[in-house]
């Protein structure tokens, strides 16, 4: 049976509207389902854990990357579950990168074909990350902008100029296969999928190759930062000579302060270190063939 998990209204005001549309469609098609609404993400977690304890294994998530990450984080054995996604916006990065329809009715129709694709998933300090891990100027801009009372195009531009172009960099140690490189990083992305907040931060990523993409820049002068930030918005930074790019399956990131501000699947974390690995074909997704 399909268990439809709906993002809390306080987190996502569109999810309930989408859920009502797909429920109406499922009724018309006489498809068996249950639907679960929650007041907050903690309540959503409780519902998912209870369903898992009852042996349920088919979930349709109506919500964004944060909701998808929350649900996947409740599952101890990912081989047990199959997940369908009903996106609620153009910045639902994981769904967009998988090519899942943004139309809720088309998305549920595709789910009902029951075609499954196995996709890779990142693990950071035992936490699942579906899409990307970002560190650097764009994360600082996102954090500062989220504190503004008025959030629009103009205030976002102000945040980019004030905090992005003036970002001093963050000192990181990058360890892979016993080799460590120390860098003062302006912008860094570790990517399974290739989008972050709707931006193509890793256009060459592949969610089915057992590897994640690492790209970063250590640009330090002001003009260079402005130029790189513009390229980064368009995903064109990967073609820049100042970008260092790798494909790997393990990476450890540390810094002297043991406090790394990180954006993962749409949420900000302050972590002492990041121990990153990948589970090849670790997640079963309902997706149109």
């Amino acid at each position: 049976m399909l268990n439809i998990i709906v993002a809390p209204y306080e987190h996502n005001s569109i999810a309930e509207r989408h859920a009502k549309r797909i429920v109406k469609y499922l009724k018309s098609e006489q498809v068996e389902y249950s639907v679960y609404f929650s007041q907050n993400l903690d309540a959503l977690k409780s519902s998912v854990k209870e369903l898992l304890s009852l042996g349920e294994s088919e979930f349709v998530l109506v919500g964004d990357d944060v909701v998808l990450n929350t649900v996947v984080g409740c599952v101890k054995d990912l081989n047990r579950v199959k997940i369908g996604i009903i996106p609620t916006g153009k910045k639902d990065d994981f769904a967009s990168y998988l090519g899942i329809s943004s139309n809720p009715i088309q998305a549920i129709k595709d789910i009902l074909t029951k075609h499954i694709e196995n996709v890779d998933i990142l693990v950071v300090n035992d936490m699942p990350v579906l899409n990307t891990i970002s560190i650097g100027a764009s994360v600082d801009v996102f954090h500062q902008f989220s504190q503004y009372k008025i959030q629009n195009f103009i205030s976002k531009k102000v945040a980019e100029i004030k905090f992005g172009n003036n970002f001093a960099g963050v000192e990181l140690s990058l360890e892979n296969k016993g080799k460590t490189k120390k860098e003062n990083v302006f912008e860094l992305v570790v990517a399974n999928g290739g989008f972050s907040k709707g931006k193509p931060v890793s256009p060459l990523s592949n969610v089915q190759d057992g590897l994640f993409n690492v790209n970063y820049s250590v640009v330090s002068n002001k003009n260079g930062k402005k130029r790189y930030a513009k390229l980064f918005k368009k995903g064109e930074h990967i073609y820049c000579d100042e970008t260092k790019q790798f494909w790997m399956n393990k990476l450890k990131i540390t810094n002297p302060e043991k406090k790394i501000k990180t954006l993962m699947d749409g949420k900000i974390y302050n972590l002492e270190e990041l121990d990153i690995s990948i589970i090849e074909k670790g997640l079963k997704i309902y997706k149109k063939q």
Side-chain angles (χ1 to χ4, degrees):
M1 181 172 63
L2 293 178
N3 295 282
I4 301 168
I5 309 298
V6 185
Y9 184 85
E10 68 173 28
H11 174 75
N12 188 317
S13 61
I14 299 172
E16 290 189 8
R17 195 187 318 157
H18 279 13
K20 289 174 183 177
R21 289 185 64 190
I22 65 172
V23 162
K24 184 178 179 180
Y25 177 78
L26 292 172
K27 284 182 178 178
S28 71
E29 296 296 308
Q30 297 183 328
V31 176
E32 188 178 4
Y33 71 91
S34 293
V35 60
Y36 299 87
F37 298 94
S38 305
Q39 290 187 335
N40 52 50
L41 290 175
D42 285 337
L44 185 148
K45 283 183 187 178
S46 296
S47 294
V48 172
K49 288 178 180 178
E50 183 176 356
L51 288 167
L52 289 166
S53 71
L54 294 172
E56 294 294 334
S57 61
E58 292 185 292
F59 295 88
V60 174
L61 313 183
V62 187
D64 57 13
D65 290 326
V66 173
V67 171
L68 182 56
N69 180 286
T70 299
V71 172
V72 172
C74 294
V75 184
K76 293 181 179 179
D77 183 3
L78 290 174
N79 289 320
R80 285 184 54 197
V81 300
K82 306 176 189 72
I83 292 175
I85 306 171
I86 309 291
T88 53
K90 293 181 179 179
K91 293 185 180 180
D92 293 0
D93 297 319
F94 194 64
S96 295
Y97 210 69
L98 290 176
I100 292 172
S101 176
S102 59
N103 181 304
I105 300 304
Q106 186 58 55
I108 193 65
K109 285 180 179 179
D110 293 342
I111 289 168
L112 292 177
T113 66
K114 295 299 181 78
H115 173 73
I116 291 172
E117 288 196 10
N118 293 292
V119 299
D120 302 340
I121 182 172
L122 298 174
V123 178
V124 181
N125 303 350
D126 296 325
M127 295 185 294
V129 176
L130 299 155
N131 205 58
T132 59
I133 303 157
S134 299
I135 300 170
S138 64
V139 180
D140 200 43
V141 169
F142 175 77
H143 173 71
Q144 299 295 341
F145 176 67
S146 66
Q147 309 300 309
Y148 288 0
K149 290 183 179 179
I150 299 175
Q151 298 184 4
N152 55 31
F153 174 79
I154 295 173
S155 60
K156 187 174 184 180
K157 197 69 179 176
V158 169
E160 288 172 352
I161 294 170
K162 186 176 180 180
F163 300 103
N165 296 343
N166 294 312
F167 185 71
V170 54
E171 187 178 339
L172 300 176
S173 292
L174 310 174
E175 181 184 337
N176 174 250
K177 295 183 178 179
K179 297 180 179 179
T180 301
K181 180 176 286 190
K182 293 184 179 181
E183 301 276 28
N184 190 61
V185 170
F186 176 68
E187 195 74 69
L188 178 144
V189 175
V190 178
N192 181 36
F195 295 150
S196 179
K197 291 298 177 183
K199 297 175 183 177
V201 295
S202 181
L204 300 179
S205 286
N206 186 329
V207 296
Q208 294 178 309
D209 63 356
L211 298 170
F212 52 78
N213 173 249
V214 181
N215 64 78
Y216 70 91
S217 172
V218 296
V219 61
S220 57
N221 64 78
K222 194 165 186 177
N223 288 335
K225 290 177 182 179
K226 287 181 180 180
R227 178 173 173 270
Y228 196 84
K230 287 181 180 179
L231 292 172
F232 188 76
K233 281 185 180 181
K234 301 175 184 178
E236 295 176 359
H237 62 292
I238 62 167
Y239 308 112
C240 177
D241 291 340
E242 294 167 335
T243 298
K244 301 179 182 182
Q245 188 160 206
F246 309 91
W247 277 262
M248 54 185 66
N249 56 26
K250 284 186 181 296
L251 178 66
K252 187 173 184 178
I253 303 176
T254 58
N255 82 335
E257 289 76 26
K258 294 187 177 181
K259 189 175 182 181
I260 307 171
K261 187 182 293 181
T262 309
L263 180 66
M264 302 193 300
D265 285 351
K267 287 180 66 177
I268 292 281
Y269 297 82
N270 284 297
L271 302 174
E272 291 187 3
E273 64 179 29
L274 286 80
D275 197 350
I276 307 167
S277 59
I278 192 164
I279 303 175
E280 186 173 2
K281 298 180 180 179
L283 194 63
K284 295 180 175 69
I285 296 288
Y286 286 123
K287 185 176 178 294
K288 184 179 179 180
Q289 191 167 9

mmCIF file of all heavy atoms in Angstrom, residues 45-66:
data_model
loop_
_atom_site.group_PDB
_atom_site.id
_atom_site.type_symbol
_atom_site.label_atom_id
_atom_site.label_comp_id
_atom_site.label_asym_id
_atom_site.label_seq_id
_atom_site.Cartn_x
_atom_site.Cartn_y
_atom_site.Cartn_z
ATOM 1 N N LYS A 45 8.618 12.413 11.486
ATOM 2 C CA LYS A 45 9.543 11.318 11.803
ATOM 3 C C LYS A 45 8.848 10.208 12.576
ATOM 4 O O LYS A 45 9.025 9.023 12.292
ATOM 5 C CB LYS A 45 10.717 11.841 12.637
ATOM 6 C CG LYS A 45 11.769 12.599 11.893
ATOM 7 C CD LYS A 45 12.878 12.978 12.876
ATOM 8 C CE LYS A 45 13.901 13.886 12.271
ATOM 9 N NZ LYS A 45 14.940 14.274 13.252
ATOM 10 N N SER A 46 8.064 10.590 13.563
ATOM 11 C CA SER A 46 7.361 9.605 14.399
ATOM 12 C C SER A 46 6.417 8.759 13.558
ATOM 13 O O SER A 46 6.336 7.536 13.736
ATOM 14 C CB SER A 46 6.583 10.308 15.511
ATOM 15 O OG SER A 46 7.461 10.983 16.383
ATOM 16 N N SER A 47 5.703 9.398 12.625
ATOM 17 C CA SER A 47 4.776 8.663 11.761
ATOM 18 C C SER A 47 5.514 7.659 10.895
ATOM 19 O O SER A 47 5.099 6.505 10.757
ATOM 20 C CB SER A 47 3.999 9.636 10.870
ATOM 21 O OG SER A 47 3.155 10.468 11.632
ATOM 22 N N VAL A 48 6.627 8.082 10.319
ATOM 23 C CA VAL A 48 7.401 7.206 9.433
ATOM 24 C C VAL A 48 7.977 6.024 10.217
ATOM 25 O O VAL A 48 7.920 4.872 9.761
ATOM 26 C CB VAL A 48 8.519 7.995 8.728
ATOM 27 C CG1 VAL A 48 9.448 7.050 7.964
ATOM 28 C CG2 VAL A 48 7.928 9.031 7.785
ATOM 29 N N LYS A 49 8.524 6.304 11.391
ATOM 30 C CA LYS A 49 9.092 5.224 12.209
ATOM 31 C C LYS A 49 8.030 4.209 12.609
ATOM 32 O O LYS A 49 8.287 2.991 12.624
ATOM 33 C CB LYS A 49 9.765 5.816 13.448
ATOM 34 C CG LYS A 49 11.067 6.539 13.138
ATOM 35 C CD LYS A 49 11.684 7.152 14.389
ATOM 36 C CE LYS A 49 12.988 7.875 14.065
ATOM 37 N NZ LYS A 49 13.582 8.515 15.258
ATOM 38 N N GLU A 50 6.834 4.695 12.927
ATOM 39 C CA GLU A 50 5.754 3.779 13.291
ATOM 40 C C GLU A 50 5.357 2.917 12.103
ATOM 41 O O GLU A 50 5.152 1.695 12.239
ATOM 42 C CB GLU A 50 4.541 4.567 13.791
ATOM 43 C CG GLU A 50 3.405 3.671 14.260
ATOM 44 C CD GLU A 50 2.240 4.441 14.849
ATOM 45 O OE1 GLU A 50 2.333 5.684 14.967
ATOM 46 O OE2 GLU A 50 1.226 3.811 15.178
ATOM 47 N N LEU A 51 5.252 3.512 10.928
ATOM 48 C CA LEU A 51 4.903 2.755 9.728
ATOM 49 C C LEU A 51 5.964 1.701 9.408
ATOM 50 O O LEU A 51 5.644 0.579 9.032
ATOM 51 C CB LEU A 51 4.738 3.704 8.541
ATOM 52 C CG LEU A 51 3.477 4.584 8.570
ATOM 53 C CD1 LEU A 51 3.577 5.707 7.537
ATOM 54 C CD2 LEU A 51 2.242 3.741 8.314
ATOM 55 N N LEU A 52 7.226 2.071 9.575
ATOM 56 C CA LEU A 52 8.310 1.117 9.342
ATOM 57 C C LEU A 52 8.229 -0.052 10.317
ATOM 58 O O LEU A 52 8.454 -1.205 9.944
ATOM 59 C CB LEU A 52 9.664 1.815 9.472
ATOM 60 C CG LEU A 52 10.040 2.785 8.347
ATOM 61 C CD1 LEU A 52 11.231 3.644 8.760
ATOM 62 C CD2 LEU A 52 10.349 2.030 7.054
ATOM 63 N N SER A 53 7.888 0.240 11.570
ATOM 64 C CA SER A 53 7.771 -0.814 12.591
ATOM 65 C C SER A 53 6.626 -1.774 12.288
ATOM 66 O O SER A 53 6.637 -2.933 12.715
ATOM 67 C CB SER A 53 7.584 -0.201 13.979
ATOM 68 O OG SER A 53 6.292 0.379 14.103
ATOM 69 N N LEU A 54 5.648 -1.296 11.513
ATOM 70 C CA LEU A 54 4.502 -2.128 11.120
ATOM 71 C C LEU A 54 4.762 -2.886 9.818
ATOM 72 O O LEU A 54 3.888 -3.585 9.314
ATOM 73 C CB LEU A 54 3.247 -1.254 10.974
ATOM 74 C CG LEU A 54 2.731 -0.606 12.271
ATOM 75 C CD1 LEU A 54 1.612 0.386 11.965
ATOM 76 C CD2 LEU A 54 2.258 -1.666 13.261
ATOM 77 N N GLY A 55 5.972 -2.696 9.282
ATOM 78 C CA GLY A 55 6.344 -3.437 8.082
ATOM 79 C C GLY A 55 6.018 -2.747 6.772
ATOM 80 O O GLY A 55 6.177 -3.351 5.696
ATOM 81 N N GLU A 56 5.587 -1.490 6.825
ATOM 82 C CA GLU A 56 5.288 -0.766 5.586
ATOM 83 C C GLU A 56 6.585 -0.453 4.836
ATOM 84 O O GLU A 56 7.613 -0.158 5.447
ATOM 85 C CB GLU A 56 4.529 0.523 5.888
ATOM 86 C CG GLU A 56 3.135 0.304 6.469
ATOM 87 C CD GLU A 56 2.186 -0.357 5.475
ATOM 88 O OE1 GLU A 56 2.396 -0.222 4.252
ATOM 89 O OE2 GLU A 56 1.242 -1.017 5.927
ATOM 90 N N SER A 57 6.502 -0.491 3.512
ATOM 91 C CA SER A 57 7.735 -0.324 2.731
ATOM 92 C C SER A 57 7.591 0.593 1.519
ATOM 93 O O SER A 57 8.580 0.907 0.863
ATOM 94 C CB SER A 57 8.232 -1.693 2.253
ATOM 95 O OG SER A 57 7.263 -2.308 1.416
ATOM 96 N N GLU A 58 6.364 1.039 1.212
ATOM 97 C CA GLU A 58 6.152 1.912 0.063
ATOM 98 C C GLU A 58 5.744 3.307 0.542
ATOM 99 O O GLU A 58 4.703 3.460 1.186
ATOM 100 C CB GLU A 58 5.074 1.351 -0.854
ATOM 101 C CG GLU A 58 5.467 0.066 -1.565
ATOM 102 C CD GLU A 58 4.394 -0.373 -2.541
ATOM 103 O OE1 GLU A 58 3.306 -0.763 -2.090
ATOM 104 O OE2 GLU A 58 4.642 -0.311 -3.757
ATOM 105 N N PHE A 59 6.563 4.302 0.208
ATOM 106 C CA PHE A 59 6.312 5.660 0.678
ATOM 107 C C PHE A 59 6.303 6.632 -0.500
ATOM 108 O O PHE A 59 7.160 6.557 -1.385
ATOM 109 C CB PHE A 59 7.389 6.092 1.674
ATOM 110 C CG PHE A 59 7.378 5.289 2.944
ATOM 111 C CD1 PHE A 59 8.102 4.115 3.053
ATOM 112 C CD2 PHE A 59 6.630 5.703 4.037
ATOM 113 C CE1 PHE A 59 8.089 3.360 4.217
ATOM 114 C CE2 PHE A 59 6.604 4.962 5.209
ATOM 115 C CZ PHE A 59 7.340 3.793 5.303
ATOM 116 N N VAL A 60 5.338 7.529 -0.474
ATOM 117 C CA VAL A 60 5.286 8.633 -1.431
ATOM 118 C C VAL A 60 5.446 9.915 -0.629
ATOM 119 O O VAL A 60 4.623 10.215 0.249
ATOM 120 C CB VAL A 60 3.960 8.654 -2.215
ATOM 121 C CG1 VAL A 60 3.881 9.907 -3.107
ATOM 122 C CG2 VAL A 60 3.826 7.400 -3.066
ATOM 123 N N LEU A 61 6.490 10.658 -0.904
ATOM 124 C CA LEU A 61 6.815 11.847 -0.127
ATOM 125 C C LEU A 61 6.404 13.092 -0.887
ATOM 126 O O LEU A 61 6.877 13.334 -2.000
ATOM 127 C CB LEU A 61 8.308 11.890 0.179
ATOM 128 C CG LEU A 61 8.926 10.580 0.701
ATOM 129 C CD1 LEU A 61 10.387 10.783 1.025
ATOM 130 C CD2 LEU A 61 8.162 10.084 1.914
ATOM 131 N N VAL A 62 5.511 13.873 -0.284
ATOM 132 C CA VAL A 62 5.070 15.130 -0.878
ATOM 133 C C VAL A 62 5.825 16.246 -0.165
ATOM 134 O O VAL A 62 5.491 16.611 0.964
ATOM 135 C CB VAL A 62 3.546 15.324 -0.729
ATOM 136 C CG1 VAL A 62 3.094 16.560 -1.511
ATOM 137 C CG2 VAL A 62 2.793 14.092 -1.197
ATOM 138 N N GLY A 63 6.871 16.755 -0.806
ATOM 139 C CA GLY A 63 7.681 17.757 -0.130
ATOM 140 C C GLY A 63 9.015 17.968 -0.821
ATOM 141 O O GLY A 63 9.277 17.411 -1.894
ATOM 142 N N ASP A 64 9.878 18.732 -0.169
ATOM 143 C CA ASP A 64 11.159 19.118 -0.744
ATOM 144 C C ASP A 64 12.295 18.228 -0.263
ATOM 145 O O ASP A 64 12.068 17.183 0.361
ATOM 146 C CB ASP A 64 11.446 20.588 -0.437
ATOM 147 C CG ASP A 64 11.442 20.878 1.063
ATOM 148 O OD1 ASP A 64 11.456 19.915 1.860
ATOM 149 O OD2 ASP A 64 11.419 22.071 1.433
ATOM 150 N N ASP A 65 13.530 18.655 -0.530
ATOM 151 C CA ASP A 65 14.707 17.858 -0.160
ATOM 152 C C ASP A 65 14.821 17.638 1.342
ATOM 153 O O ASP A 65 15.286 16.590 1.794
ATOM 154 C CB ASP A 65 15.982 18.551 -0.659
ATOM 155 C CG ASP A 65 16.118 18.510 -2.170
ATOM 156 O OD1 ASP A 65 15.701 17.508 -2.760
ATOM 157 O OD2 ASP A 65 16.638 19.472 -2.748
ATOM 158 N N VAL A 66 14.429 18.642 2.135
ATOM 159 C CA VAL A 66 14.520 18.511 3.590
ATOM 160 C C VAL A 66 13.612 17.381 4.074
ATOM 161 O O VAL A 66 14.001 16.553 4.909
ATOM 162 C CB VAL A 66 14.141 19.837 4.289
ATOM 163 C CG1 VAL A 66 14.063 19.645 5.799
ATOM 164 C CG2 VAL A 66 15.153 20.928 3.949
#
